Amino acid sequence: MAADPPPRSPAALSPLTLADADFRLMVEALRDHAVFLLDPDGVIVDCNPAAQVLCGCERGGAVGQHFSRFHPPEALETGLPARDLQLARENGRAHGEGWLVRHDATRFWAETTLTRLDDANGALRGFAQITRDFTERRQQEELLRASEERFRLMVEGVKDYAIFMLDPDGHVASWNLGAQQTKGYAAEEIIGQHFSKFYPPEVAARGWPAEELRNALRDGRFEDEGWRVRKDGSRFWASVVITAVYDRAGRHKGFAKVTRDLTERRRITALEDEGRRMTTFLAMLGHELRNPLAPISNAVELLKREQSESRVLRSTRDIIDRQLKQMTRLIDDLLDVGRITSGKIQLEAKPVRLREAVQDAADAVRVLAAQKDQQFDVRVDAADPWITGDRARIVQVVSNLLHNACKFTPVGGQVSVAVGLGAVDAATGLPEAEIAVRDSGVGVHPQDLQRIFDLFVQGEQDASHSSGGLGLGLSLVQQLVSLHGGRVSVFSSGRPGEGSEFLVQLPASPPPEPGSGTPRSAGDRLVLVVDDNKDAAETLSLLVEALGYATKVVHGGLAAVEAAKELRPDVMLIDIGMPDLDGHAVVRRLRAELVDPPTAIAVTGYGQASDRETSYEAGFHSHLTKPVDVDRLADILMHLLRPAAHLSV
């Protein structure tokens, strides 16, 4: 492009000259296309303003330079500019992309097209080079490539999920590490195979894999859970998500499939469901067993209050009493295990004097020790420790350990329980309270020491010397001690006659400030007994009368409401599970319909913590489980019915 010719008048311009001028204006007006005119050797003859901007120099800095001046050193070393000229010379055109350099040596990514220019006779006149700056596009492509690479590495590195692609027909097209670990196939083994290989034969036979793909294609996504098969033939429970994949033009390219092994979670869920069912079963079992035990227990208590000269009658009564207590203890243990495992047990946090709790537990098993002519000792050192906890549960812990010791110690053996203080707890600055139960029985086999506190474990016994039981006691001991912030240990050589020692260690607490008790006396008041079980109602009524109170009996909830309005009893002992109107409804109606309703005490076979809460919410003063603890009932009635007080316990 030489210097502009002198201006001519419009009339003097020929059509060809006018076209050349227009073409020049068009080329110079281009902003996105750098246009260079090269001679046959590749020397720049002229360039448009866009080329000057792209190369970072004035026109004079480009004209006269060989076009390779704007190629980087690595391109010059490989002879790329010369090859492009030769290709354009021979084929009329050369096209490519690559790095170019500006006048200041900075680089840019360019798309370049070299076009051969011939004269009217076909002889080579030179070349036109059109260059476009695609640096920004390349940066975006590099970012996209880097993103895709990161995504690929992430997908391939995921171990917990099998992530792979299927072609439109369901053949495996990609395979990540998670897929290899979950399904057992290496990528080279499975790519190209149909994904129906992962399904059990009976599932694949009914066409379910193809149905999954149809559902994903129809809805865009399909989710399922079911059994899948590994390479070794083993099955696992899988969560599967299949997503239809499309390109930018909307063409279906295949499916993305994500599979997760949920076998362990399914097992845990099944165990949790089984645990809930077992807890419900235990609650119902306890209720059903307690109902018939209640009238038996009441009858035994009545028999104890009768003066009888018959040795057979007294002996029979005592046998029934002992076996009834054993049955009640087993039921309570069974229910307590259910409550603890379901997290529904609630402990009181009150001062407990260990010597008193241990003495109560010892009194409960003295009869068993006496029956086997065992030497039974209770020792408390001068320290007299206190703890903060649930007194009834501590008594239960010690009585279970003592009962176990007596049961596994032969006739004439030794059983002892000692209470004292151990090492100082660094956290509280107080010594630990210790309860040690020792015996001279069969001991614990070494192989059983690690699992002796597991549920339903009784240690090694042969059938002829089995001592019975459900294997609940020691598990319950460990769990109750743990709930009190303590621990229990067992020591035994496993040699018969050397026995075993169980050591309970609990956080000690300072003794409480001394308090004063309030004397209790019975009053002549009316107690209304409500139970649809006639035997339970009659025996409970007789028992209450033996405690010194007047009673009336009604059977059923509706009768209880009418009797309460007519007789105005001071206290009502009400069964919960009655067919016409349950105990909760009875209490609610009485509270709604009477200005001063009688005090209500629940007497029921339902003994879960939630059952107690429901009773209290309905308006019951106390909740007693069948068979009724007579001493506790007597204590509550004495407290409620003494003439001079109306305090609640």
Side-chain angles (χ1 to χ4, degrees):
M1 298 182 184
D4 295 340
R8 302 179 184 178
S9 66
L13 293 174
S14 66
L16 181 59
T17 303
L18 183 62
D20 288 345
D22 290 341
F23 184 76
R24 181 183 182 85
L25 288 173
M26 179 186 71
V27 170
E28 292 188 348
L30 292 173
R31 292 292 179 265
D32 297 330
H33 294 71
V35 181
F36 299 87
L37 181 63
L38 311 180
D39 69 11
D41 295 324
V43 176
I44 299 174
V45 176
D46 206 348
C47 63
N48 71 341
Q52 298 168 34
V53 172
L54 185 64
C55 293
C57 61
E58 299 294 332
R59 179 174 177 275
V63 173
Q65 298 285 333
H66 194 272
F67 86 113
S68 62
R69 159 72 179 76
F70 300 103
H71 283 71
E74 62 271 19
L76 299 177
E77 290 176 3
T78 60
L80 178 64
R83 288 201 305 274
D84 284 347
L85 279 181
Q86 185 62 30
L87 185 62
R89 186 179 290 114
E90 294 175 355
N91 299 331
R93 185 173 180 273
H95 178 80
E97 288 190 18
W99 291 109
L100 296 180
V101 294
R102 296 185 177 90
H103 194 267
D104 62 1
T106 60
R107 297 190 176 209
F108 63 98
W109 186 264
E111 178 191 63
T112 301
T113 301
L114 272 175
T115 303
R116 173 181 171 132
L117 300 177
D118 293 334
D119 60 16
N121 297 321
L124 175 65
R125 291 190 58 190
F127 301 92
Q129 177 180 300
I130 299 176
T131 302
R132 296 185 66 187
D133 184 356
F134 280 172
T135 305
E136 185 175 348
R137 189 194 72 179
R138 177 175 173 80
Q139 289 174 344
Q140 293 297 326
E141 291 175 347
E142 286 296 324
L143 288 174
L144 180 61
R145 261 194 299 273
S147 175
E148 290 175 344
E149 178 66 9
R150 286 194 297 270
F151 182 75
R152 182 186 65 80
L153 291 174
M154 179 188 73
V155 170
E156 289 183 353
V158 169
K159 297 180 180 180
D160 296 333
Y161 292 82
I163 305 173
F164 52 98
M165 288 290 298
L166 305 176
D167 67 18
D169 296 323
H171 297 92
V172 178
S174 70
W175 199 246
N176 80 327
L177 179 61
Q180 180 173 334
Q181 291 191 350
T182 300
K183 298 178 182 291
Y185 295 94
E188 60 272 14
E189 294 178 300
I190 198 62
I191 290 179
Q193 300 289 322
H194 197 270
F195 84 115
S196 59
K197 288 176 69 75
F198 310 138
Y199 292 73
E202 66 275 11
V203 176
R206 68 171 191 262
W208 180 242
E211 182 66 22
E212 286 187 334
L213 296 187
R214 284 193 293 270
N215 291 336
L217 194 59
R218 181 192 64 215
D219 302 327
R221 183 178 183 276
F222 179 74
E223 188 170 352
D224 186 31
E225 284 193 13
W227 292 110
R228 297 296 183 267
V229 180
R230 296 187 178 90
K231 177 184 176 182
D232 62 7
S234 62
R235 298 191 179 200
F236 65 99
W237 187 261
S239 168
V240 177
V241 178
I242 302 176
T243 305
V245 178
Y246 299 86
D247 63 15
R248 292 182 179 179
R251 293 184 293 267
H252 179 226
K253 303 297 291 183
F255 303 90
K257 195 167 188 288
V258 180
T259 301
R260 188 180 183 189
D261 184 352
L262 297 182
T263 308
E264 183 63 16
R265 192 176 79 177
R266 187 172 189 265
R267 185 185 69 83
I268 293 173
T269 300
L271 288 175
E272 290 173 346
D273 291 341
E274 183 65 24
R276 283 190 291 270
R277 287 193 295 271
M278 179 59 72
T279 301
T280 302
F281 167 74
L282 292 178
M284 294 305 299
L285 177 64
H287 174 259
E288 293 303 319
L289 291 177
R290 275 177 169 155
N291 270 334
L293 288 180
I296 299 173
S297 177
N298 295 342
V300 170
E301 291 298 326
L302 289 169
L303 289 174
K304 287 180 180 179
R305 285 166 170 76
E306 290 292 324
Q307 297 298 323
S308 175
E309 300 301 325
S310 171
R311 185 183 61 81
V312 173
L313 182 59
R314 291 196 305 271
S315 177
T316 304
R317 179 199 64 195
D318 292 343
I319 290 172
I320 296 173
D321 188 34
R322 288 194 298 272
Q323 295 304 315
L324 183 65
K325 285 182 171 61
Q326 171 71 355
M327 179 66 75
T328 302
R329 191 183 66 82
L330 288 175
I331 293 172
D332 287 341
D333 283 355
L334 195 64
L335 292 177
D336 281 339
V337 168
R339 293 187 193 110
I340 292 173
T341 55
S342 62
K344 294 181 178 179
I345 196 166
Q346 294 182 345
L347 300 181
E348 290 185 343
K350 296 181 179 180
V352 178
R353 190 176 192 177
L354 279 189
R355 71 158 58 186
E356 294 178 354
V358 168
Q359 191 63 58
D360 286 351
D363 290 343
V365 296
R366 283 187 191 278
V367 174
L368 177 60
Q371 288 173 346
K372 300 180 74 174
D373 197 24
Q374 294 168 342
Q375 182 180 337
F376 191 80
D377 295 323
V378 179
R379 298 191 298 274
V380 181
D381 68 18
D384 192 14
W386 289 71
I387 67 164
T388 299
D390 191 315
R391 187 179 188 280
R393 295 301 183 180
I394 296 300
V395 171
Q396 185 178 6
V397 165
V398 180
S399 64
N400 272 358
L401 290 176
L402 288 173
H403 187 275
N404 230 43
C406 292
K407 183 169 66 172
F408 290 103
T409 299
V411 173
Q414 296 177 339
V415 174
S416 68
V417 55
V419 180
L421 289 173
V424 174
D425 189 316
T428 64
L430 294 170
E432 286 187 319
E434 295 184 345
I435 305 169
V437 175
R438 301 179 181 88
D439 64 67
S440 60
V442 297
V444 181
H445 287 274
Q447 64 267 29
D448 292 328
L449 286 173
Q450 297 300 317
R451 63 187 191 97
I452 195 67
F453 295 108
D454 292 347
L455 200 60
F456 302 122
V457 170
Q458 293 178 290
E460 187 175 304
Q461 306 173 41
D462 67 58
S464 62
H465 293 85
S466 173
S467 297
L470 299 175
L472 299 173
L474 291 180
S475 176
L476 188 57
V477 164
Q478 184 189 52
Q479 294 180 73
L480 288 174
V481 170
S482 178
L483 289 173
H484 280 83
R487 59 190 181 277
V488 59
S489 311
V490 58
F491 307 93
S492 178
S493 66
R495 292 187 289 270
E498 294 185 4
S500 57
E501 177 184 359
F502 287 83
L503 179 64
V504 176
Q505 295 168 290
L506 298 164
S509 61
E513 294 296 327
S516 58
T518 304
R520 299 170 184 261
S521 60
D524 188 14
R525 304 293 181 89
L526 177 62
V527 178
L528 182 63
V529 179
V530 183
D531 199 320
D532 61 318
N533 185 318
K534 293 184 178 182
D535 289 342
E538 295 298 333
T539 53
L540 183 58
S541 173
L542 291 172
L543 186 57
V544 173
E545 288 178 357
L547 295 175
Y549 305 102
T551 65
K552 290 289 184 181
V553 176
V554 294
H555 305 296
L558 294 174
V561 173
E562 296 304 318
K565 293 178 180 179
E566 178 184 351
L567 301 174
R568 295 301 178 105
D570 298 285
V571 174
M572 296 177 67
L573 303 178
I574 307 175
D575 182 37
I576 298 296
M578 295 181 289
D580 58 345
L581 192 67
D582 68 41
H584 298 138
V586 169
V587 173
R588 292 191 187 98
R589 281 190 54 174
L590 293 177
R591 288 164 66 89
E593 298 174 13
L594 296 178
V595 176
D596 186 19
T599 302
I601 299 173
V603 180
T604 175
Y606 295 106
Q608 299 278 21
S610 58
D611 300 322
R612 298 176 187 276
E613 292 171 4
T614 304
S615 293
Y616 297 142
E617 289 171 2
F620 280 100
H621 173 276
S622 305
H623 184 104
L624 303 178
T625 54
K626 297 177 180 178
V628 172
D629 183 329
V630 178
D631 291 336
R632 187 181 176 201
L633 175 60
D635 189 51
I636 293 173
L637 291 177
M638 183 183 296
H639 188 79
L640 290 173
L641 300 179
R642 63 190 180 196
H646 296 281
L647 300 176
S648 61
V649 291

